[in-house]
Amino acid sequence: METSKGLHKLNKKKGEAITGIIMVAPAVILLLIFVFAPLVIAVYRSFFNITGAGVEFVGIEFYQKTLTNKMFLQSILNVFIFAIIITVLQIVLSFLFANVLVRLKGHFGVFARTIIYLPYLLSGIVVAVIFTLLTTFNGGILNSILGAMGIDPVAWNNDQFWAPVCIIAPSIWIGFGYTTLVLYAGLINVPKDYYEAAEMDGAGFLRTTFSISIPCMKNYFILLIVTNIVNNLQMYEIPMIMTNGQPLNKTLTPVLYIMHSRANGNISDSEITAMSIVVMIIILLINSCVFYLFKDKEGRKA
C-alpha cells in the first residue's frame, strides 16, 4: 500500500514537471531564437571587420576603439549623470506624493491615481514633442510667458545649463506616475500596527518615514532605483527630438550616439556592435547588482 502511494506521488511529480516544461518551452524557444541567437551572432561579429573585400579577424580592436572614443565616453558620463539626478528626484518626489495618495479616500483618490499614471502611457516621442512646444526659442510657451513679463527669451534647448534640464524634466514627468503608484502600493502594504504604535509614542512624519516606511519598503526602492537607472541608460527619444545631443554633446546619450554613427556611416557596423555590447554589459552589471541585493535579502530572511 505504501509502495503504491509512493509511486503515485512520484508519477504526480513527474507529471507536474512535464507540464511545467511544456508551459515554459515556448518562452524558452522564443528567447533562444530572438534573444540569445542574435546576441551570440553580435558578439561574434564584433571580433571581425566585415567589409565588401572580405572578413578580417581583429580581436578586441573595436572594443579598444570604443573605450577610447571620447565622444562615446562623454555620452556614457552624460547618461550616468542624467540617470542619477532623474532617479533621485523621481523617487523622492514620488514617495512624498505617494504619502498624499494614501490619505486620499473614495472616488477622488481613484481619480488622482488615474490622472498621475496617464503620462506613463505616452511614448517618449510624444512627451518630447509636448515639451518641445514649451521650450522652443521662437514661439515656445515658456518664452511667450517670459516675453509677456518683459524678460528676454531663453534658448532652453541650446543652452549648456538648460538643455540638460530640458531632458531631465520630461524624463521625470513621464515616469512619475508609475513610480508613485509602486510606492503607493508599498505604503499600503506596511502593517498599520507599526504606524499606530509610533503614533502612540508621539512619533512624527519624519520619524515614522525613516524608521518604518523606508525600512519596510526597502525592496520597492531597490526595484525602482535599478529600473530607473537601466531605463535612463537607454534613453534616446527625448534627447533626440529636443536637443539632438547638443549643445557641445552635453545631452548626447550612448544610444543616440550609436544611432548617429549608424546613420552617418562614419564607423563600421562591427564597431557599432561593439558599442552596443558595451552598453549591454553596463546594464547587465546593474541588473546583476539588484539580483544580488534581492538574493541577499532573501538569504537573511531564511
Side-chain angles (χ1 to χ4, degrees), residues 21-302:
I21 291 171
I22 293 173
M23 294 180 68
V24 171
V28 173
I29 292 170
L30 290 173
L31 283 173
L32 289 173
I33 294 174
F34 295 106
V35 178
F36 292 109
L39 177 59
V40 171
I41 294 171
V43 173
Y44 174 80
R45 284 175 60 93
S46 67
F47 294 109
F48 292 85
N49 185 21
I50 303 173
T51 62
V55 179
E56 177 189 4
F57 178 74
V58 294
I60 62 172
E61 178 183 334
F62 291 130
Y63 291 96
Q64 291 174 334
K65 286 185 177 180
T66 295
L67 296 177
T68 56
N69 186 325
K70 291 183 179 180
M71 192 173 292
F72 181 75
L73 294 179
Q74 176 67 44
S75 71
I76 293 287
L77 177 61
N78 291 341
V79 84
F80 265 115
I81 294 173
F82 289 159
I84 292 171
I85 294 174
I86 291 168
T87 300
V88 171
L89 290 178
Q90 192 171 85
I91 289 179
V92 171
L93 294 174
S94 296
F95 179 72
L96 294 174
F97 197 74
N99 278 275
V100 175
L101 286 181
V102 169
R103 291 162 174 77
L104 296 179
K105 307 297 181 182
H107 296 296
F108 185 71
V110 175
F111 175 76
R113 293 194 294 272
T114 303
I115 289 297
I116 65 167
Y117 187 72
L118 290 179
Y120 187 72
L121 301 178
L122 302 176
S123 71
I125 294 175
V126 173
V127 172
V129 171
I130 293 172
F131 275 80
T132 299
L133 294 175
L134 292 172
T135 58
T136 300
F137 183 76
N138 293 318
I141 295 174
L142 291 180
N143 280 338
S144 297
I145 294 172
L146 293 177
M149 298 170 61
I151 302 174
D152 293 335
V154 177
W156 303 99
N157 296 335
N158 295 305
D159 184 84
Q160 291 190 48
F161 174 79
W162 288 112
V165 174
C166 290
I167 303 301
I168 292 170
S171 299
I172 292 175
W173 184 71
I174 195 172
F176 179 77
Y178 170 80
T179 306
T180 299
L181 291 183
V182 170
L183 293 176
Y184 168 81
L187 282 172
I188 63 177
N189 282 316
V190 176
K192 294 182 180 179
D193 296 343
Y194 295 174
Y195 293 115
E196 292 173 356
E199 186 178 353
M200 292 178 63
D201 291 338
F205 174 76
L206 290 177
R207 183 64 182 274
T208 56
T209 296
F210 287 101
S211 299
I212 298 175
S213 300
I214 292 178
C216 290
M217 295 170 60
K218 181 179 179 180
N219 286 347
Y220 289 90
F221 284 110
I222 292 173
L223 174 64
L224 288 173
I225 289 170
V226 174
T227 302
N228 274 280
I229 290 176
V230 169
N231 288 339
N232 288 309
L233 286 176
Q234 301 177 81
M235 72 159 63
Y236 77 94
E237 297 154 311
I238 292 175
M240 177 182 68
I241 292 176
M242 295 194 68
T243 64
N244 200 29
Q246 299 306 315
L248 301 175
N249 298 320
K250 293 293 185 181
T251 59
L252 186 67
T253 67
V255 177
L256 184 56
Y257 177 72
I258 291 170
M259 291 178 63
H260 283 170
S261 300
R262 182 67 182 86
N264 296 334
N266 52 2
I267 60 176
S268 67
D269 289 346
S270 296
E271 188 173 348
I272 291 173
T273 302
M275 288 181 182
S276 302
I277 292 172
V278 169
V279 175
M280 182 197 71
I281 290 172
I282 294 172
I283 293 172
L284 284 176
L285 288 174
I286 294 175
N287 279 330
S288 298
C289 289
V290 74
F291 291 146
Y292 174 79
L293 290 172
F294 275 121
K295 181 181 179 181
D296 185 54
K297 181 69 176 177
E298 293 298 322
R300 286 199 298 269
K301 283 182 178 180

